[in-house]
Amino acid sequence: MNDIIGTVRDSNLKLTLAFGIGMHHAGLHERDRKTVEELFVNCKIQVLIATSTLAWGVNFPAHLVIVKGTEYYDGKTRRYVDYPITDVLQMMGRAGRPQFDDQGKAVILVHDIKKDFYKKFLYEPFPVESSLLDVLADHLNAEIAAGTITSKQDAMDYITWTYFFRRLIMNPTYYNLDNVSHDTMNKYLSSLVEKSLFDLECSYCIEIGEDNRSIEPLTYGRIASYYYLKHPTIGMFKDQLKPESTVEELLLILTVSDDIFLIYVYLTDDS
């Protein structure tokens, strides 16, 4: 163990590893992370302190999982927000080692006023609803660009294959639907398709044929799909980007877009 600790770069990690405690987070050097992972998997350290992303990125079962708090600081809104229930369940799911244990133990440390909510959820689970409606147009654009959807009927069929459609039938009031009769469902889905396609057309992503049924992807739609851009972003680029735009204008356009970009600024020696 001393030899292994000698290869670790992070000074804090060196200190904790000597006591059988590892740390795992994005700030560690990749080699340090790999070292911690191998030590924990091979039972050379007994405790692993990790960020919530570990539950999704790497599978390390443990006999006991302790979730220290259910909130995180959201820099965008500048406030503390709750972890999604799915994240909490994913973290709890790491409890139990199939090769060693016949049961797993999970402890959730939560603020007192939220205790009843988590107890109710854990013992009386409620279904997870779909969030597809908020991004339906972008999903349709990706399928149109890929050639999967070529008509409005294809778009209707695509929606019926989704989890959203399953939840719509089971819980229509959540999605502002009065009943699930055939005519009502047909009108509801038709209006969703029409609105989404209209938004995509206004963003220069698609073109609807003269028969008002066929759909053709445009270059801007393919670009949005390839780079995972929201359709309002590509529409805004089409309207505002000009050949004569200055660097300042280009940076302003990027900063007001709906998507987050990684901007590389190359400076010459005389700049």
Side-chain angles (χ1 to χ4, degrees), residues 44 50 59 76 82 89 112 117 148 161 188 190 207 246 262:
K44 301 303 179 183
N59 183 16
K76 187 175 182 180
D82 289 317
L89 289 177
D112 185 60
F117 167 77
T148 307
W161 303 334
Y188 181 80
S190 295
E207 182 179 33
T246 64
L262 182 61

Side-chain angles (χ1 to χ4, degrees), residues 153-168:
Q153 185 58 48
D154 289 343
M156 290 277 288
D157 294 339
Y158 170 80
I159 294 178
T160 62
W161 303 334
T162 61
Y163 178 70
F164 158 72
F165 183 74
R166 300 291 181 269
R167 292 308 309 160
L168 180 65

Side-chain angles (χ1 to χ4, degrees), residues 1-24 28 31-40 44-49:
M1 179 62 79
N2 289 333
D3 293 339
I4 294 175
I5 293 175
T7 65
V8 174
R9 296 189 179 188
D10 189 276
S11 58
N12 292 322
L13 183 58
K14 283 185 176 183
L15 178 64
T16 60
L17 282 179
F19 295 93
I21 301 173
M23 294 188 297
H24 192 286
L28 288 177
R31 184 175 177 181
D32 287 355
R33 284 205 306 272
K34 291 293 184 182
T35 300
V36 172
E37 293 170 6
E38 292 178 5
L39 289 174
F40 185 74
K44 301 303 179 183
I45 57 176
Q46 292 73 45
V47 180
L48 181 64
I49 301 173

Side-chain angles (χ1 to χ4, degrees), residues 23-122:
M23 294 188 297
H24 192 286
H25 56 83
L28 288 177
H29 188 272
E30 183 178 0
R31 184 175 177 181
D32 287 355
R33 284 205 306 272
K34 291 293 184 182
T35 300
V36 172
E37 293 170 6
E38 292 178 5
L39 289 174
F40 185 74
V41 170
N42 292 299
C43 302
K44 301 303 179 183
I45 57 176
Q46 292 73 45
V47 180
L48 181 64
I49 301 173
T51 55
S52 61
T53 53
L54 182 69
W56 293 100
V58 187
N59 183 16
F60 294 149
H63 175 70
L64 170 65
V65 170
I66 300 176
V67 181
K68 184 180 176 295
T70 58
E71 295 181 339
Y72 69 97
Y73 184 75
D74 184 9
K76 187 175 182 180
T77 59
R78 297 183 180 180
R79 64 187 180 92
Y80 284 91
V81 296
D82 289 317
Y83 282 115
I85 289 294
T86 50
D87 284 11
V88 177
L89 289 177
Q90 186 73 10
M91 288 184 264
M92 292 175 57
R94 294 292 178 250
R97 299 168 298 172
Q99 68 272 37
F100 299 113
D101 307 323
D102 56 4
Q103 64 178 353
K105 297 182 180 180
V107 176
I108 302 179
L109 305 180
V110 64
H111 197 256
D112 185 60
I113 60 176
K114 299 176 182 177
K115 180 179 178 181
D116 291 337
F117 167 77
Y118 278 95
K119 287 178 64 176
K120 180 177 177 61
F121 177 78
L122 294 176

Side-chain angles (χ1 to χ4, degrees), residues 133 136-137 140 152 155-156 159 164 168 175-177 182-200 208:
L133 278 182
L136 179 60
L140 291 179
K152 291 184 177 180
M156 290 277 288
I159 294 178
F164 158 72
L168 180 65
Y175 304 97
N176 300 318
L177 187 64
H182 179 74
D183 291 339
T184 304
M185 290 281 289
N186 192 48
K187 291 179 180 178
Y188 181 80
L189 295 179
S190 295
S191 64
L192 286 181
V193 170
E194 290 289 347
K195 182 181 182 305
S196 298
L197 295 180
F198 175 77
D199 291 341
L200 290 175
I208 299 177

Side-chain angles (χ1 to χ4, degrees), residues 201-236:
E201 194 174 27
C202 292
S203 298
Y204 314 102
C205 292
I206 65 169
E207 182 179 33
I208 299 177
E210 294 181 358
D211 58 358
N212 200 33
R213 293 183 180 180
S214 61
I215 305 170
E216 289 290 336
L218 298 179
T219 301
Y220 296 103
R222 292 190 177 96
I223 293 174
S225 175
Y226 185 83
Y227 290 104
Y228 301 99
L229 302 179
K230 298 178 183 178
H231 67 89
T233 298
I234 202 70
M236 185 265 289

